[in-house]
Amino acid sequence: DTAVSQTPKYLVTQMGNDKSIKCEQNLGHDTMYWYKQDSKKFLKIMFSYNNKELIINETVPNRFSPKSPDKAHLNLHINSLELGDSAVYFCASSPIAGQSSYNEQFFGPGTRLTVL
Amino acid sequence: AQKVTQAQTEISVVEKEDVTLDCVYETRDTTYYLFWYKQPPSGELVFLIRRNSFDEQNEISGRYSWNFQKSTSSFNFTITASQVVDSAVYFCALREHFGNEKLTFGTGTRLTIIP
């Protein structure tokens, strides 16, 4: 069974469109994250949610809006897509303090977004 | 602010050679956690190891070993008897204990094992 899943795996779209990427984890974790990996492979945190509450927002443009309907899901909606948004987006989750493997982050397979 | 430096951008070695990937970190926290992740050509991020700042014991797992030295703020990764399947981008990462739980990644080292 997949622990952290993302859909879609690939997303090709035109500049100016709005798109969403979905993330689900079945690990029972309380914290979920979105990371962006650019063309040079640099990985950077974008957002983090703990039990549906936003705890990290790393100066990401307002066009990016995460939504967490429940603690097992963290979706990423992007408005007015730009060429520079092309990247691989990784979702991750981690358990709460006190659980084994605390501090580890488990990553999804990534979503490759290409903006034309 | 926390920072991770992987000075080696790319490394190529011939199969069966040993190779060490360097990682140097900066943090103001006295408690922190260090990680290594592997990203093979297929693109997923594979967790390799976590090390807590209060545990300086080196670790060996099969052909992999990690050398954690707080005195030099380094957490180096050695692959012994490298294999073609080890070809990947390897990331070192840091998480501060009193931070906001984010992982700060180094820029990665692309390792190519030549058959």
Side-chain angles (χ1 to χ4, degrees), chain B residues 15-30:
Chain B
E15 196 174 16
K16 297 184 184 175
E17 286 185 355
D18 300 346
V19 58
T20 295
L21 310 182
D22 297 334
C23 173
V24 174
Y25 61 91
E26 294 176 29
T27 177
R28 293 178 184 170
D29 270 11
T30 55

Side-chain angles (χ1 to χ4, degrees), chain A:
Chain A
D1 286 341
T2 304
V4 182
S5 60
Q6 295 178 229
T7 53
K9 188 166 173 61
Y10 300 96
L11 185 52
V12 181
T13 187
Q14 299 287 333
M15 227 171 29
N17 284 350
D18 302 339
K19 290 293 178 185
S20 293
I21 306 172
K22 295 185 177 181
C23 178
E24 176 181 3
Q25 54 94 4
N26 61 6
L27 298 165
H29 291 169
D30 277 18
T31 305
M32 296 184 71
Y33 312 80
W34 278 109
Y35 288 84
K36 178 181 179 180
Q37 185 174 43
D38 62 24
S39 58
K40 295 184 180 178
K41 293 285 191 180
F42 186 58
L43 269 160
K44 188 172 164 59
I45 184 81
M46 298 175 69
F47 298 103
S48 173
Y49 269 72
N50 181 272
N51 206 9
K52 301 193 295 175
E53 287 193 26
L54 180 68
I55 57 172
I56 298 175
N57 183 339
E58 287 281 309
T59 59
V60 177
N62 291 337
R63 300 182 295 104
F64 290 78
S65 53
K67 287 200 171 40
S68 182
D70 54 61
K71 71 176 192 178
H73 296 84
L74 180 60
N75 303 325
L76 183 64
H77 188 76
I78 315 171
N79 290 327
S80 303
L81 279 157
E82 299 177 357
L83 292 176
D85 297 332
S86 295
V88 179
Y89 292 84
F90 285 96
C91 177
S93 71
S94 66
I96 60 173
Q99 292 183 333
S100 64
S101 72
Y102 174 56
N103 291 315
E104 290 178 24
Q105 292 189 13
F106 298 78
F107 284 82
T111 295
R112 182 175 294 277
L113 171 64
T114 303
V115 182
L116 303 175

Side-chain angles (χ1 to χ4, degrees), chain B residues 48-93:
Chain B
L48 295 178
I49 188 172
R50 177 195 70 209
R51 176 59 73 211
N52 304 332
S53 57
F54 44 85
D55 180 4
E56 283 195 75
Q57 280 193 340
N58 292 326
E59 183 155 339
I60 298 175
S61 175
R63 296 184 297 106
Y64 295 171
S65 61
W66 290 269
N67 184 355
F68 176 31
Q69 293 199 346
K70 288 179 76 169
S71 60
T72 55
S73 297
S74 65
F75 185 43
N76 297 338
F77 172 32
T78 297
I79 302 175
T80 304
S82 60
Q83 300 176 2
V84 172
V85 292
D86 296 327
S87 295
V89 180
Y90 290 86
F91 292 95
C92 182

Side-chain angles (χ1 to χ4, degrees), chain A residues 37-38 40-43, chain B residues 3-9 22 39 89-93 104-110:
Chain A
Q37 185 174 43
D38 62 24
K40 295 184 180 178
K41 293 285 191 180
F42 186 58
L43 269 160
Chain B
K3 184 180 177 182
V4 177
T5 301
Q6 293 180 256
Q8 304 151 308
T9 306
D22 297 334
Q39 188 173 39
V89 180
Y90 290 86
F91 292 95
C92 182
T104 296
F105 284 87
T107 49
T109 297
R110 181 180 297 278

